[in-house]
């Protein structure tokens, strides 16, 4: 009986460790993708320095929502971020909000960036 309890405790400890590791990996990926969004706009939007707060504000507003909507927590090939869907969702929301908030030029640069965005074969 005591050996069985120890086995159950060990299995639960390993399962908890795996869950913590997965959560940390997911958070790290989210941070990495959010930083890439900012680097992308810095490289492609010529008015970045003058309107950085607009662009960063849009990323801050929509990144978490788009990341969560396009992250699959399954196993194997079903696990990870659907890059194309993430970028499509993020840009659609940023473009619409920029336009609605009166930032027409920034909306146009976002549209241009989205239209010219090419994902690497790996994602």
């Amino acid at each position: 009986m005591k050996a069985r309890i120890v086995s159950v405790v060990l299995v639960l400890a390993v399962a908890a460790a795996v869950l913590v590791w997965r959560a940390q990996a997911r958070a790290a990926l989210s941070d990495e993708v959010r930083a890439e969004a900012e680097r992308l706009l810095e490289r492609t939007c010529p008015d970045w320095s003058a309107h950085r707060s607009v662009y960063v504000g849009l990323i801050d507003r929509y990144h978490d929502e788009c990341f969560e909507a396009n992250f699959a927590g399954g196993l194997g090939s079903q696990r990870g971020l659907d890059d194309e869907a993430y970028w499509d969702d993020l840009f659609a929301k940023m473009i619409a909000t920029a336009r609605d908030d009166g930032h027409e030029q920034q909306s146009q640069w976002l549209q241009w960036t989205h239209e010219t965005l090419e994902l690497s074969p790996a994602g």
Side-chain angles (χ1 to χ4, degrees), residues 3-24:
R4 185 175 175 108
I5 292 172
V6 169
S7 295
V8 169
V9 169
L10 285 174
V11 168
L12 290 175
V14 168
V18 168
L19 290 175
V20 167
W21 176 79
R22 280 184 148 182
Q24 289 174 336

Side-chain angles (χ1 to χ4, degrees), residues 41-42 44-52 55 105-107 109:
L41 297 187
E42 184 176 12
T44 60
C45 297
D47 62 347
W48 169 263
S49 59
H51 296 283
R52 182 182 187 278
Y55 293 118
Q105 185 62 55
Q106 290 69 47
S107 176
W109 284 122

Side-chain angles (χ1 to χ4, degrees), residues 74-102:
L75 299 172
S77 64
Q78 298 300 313
R79 183 170 162 72
L81 182 65
D82 181 340
D83 290 338
E84 186 173 352
Y86 166 80
W87 292 111
D88 287 348
D89 287 354
L90 181 66
F91 274 99
K93 291 176 185 317
M94 292 192 307
I95 291 164
T97 300
R99 187 172 292 125
D100 292 348
D101 290 351

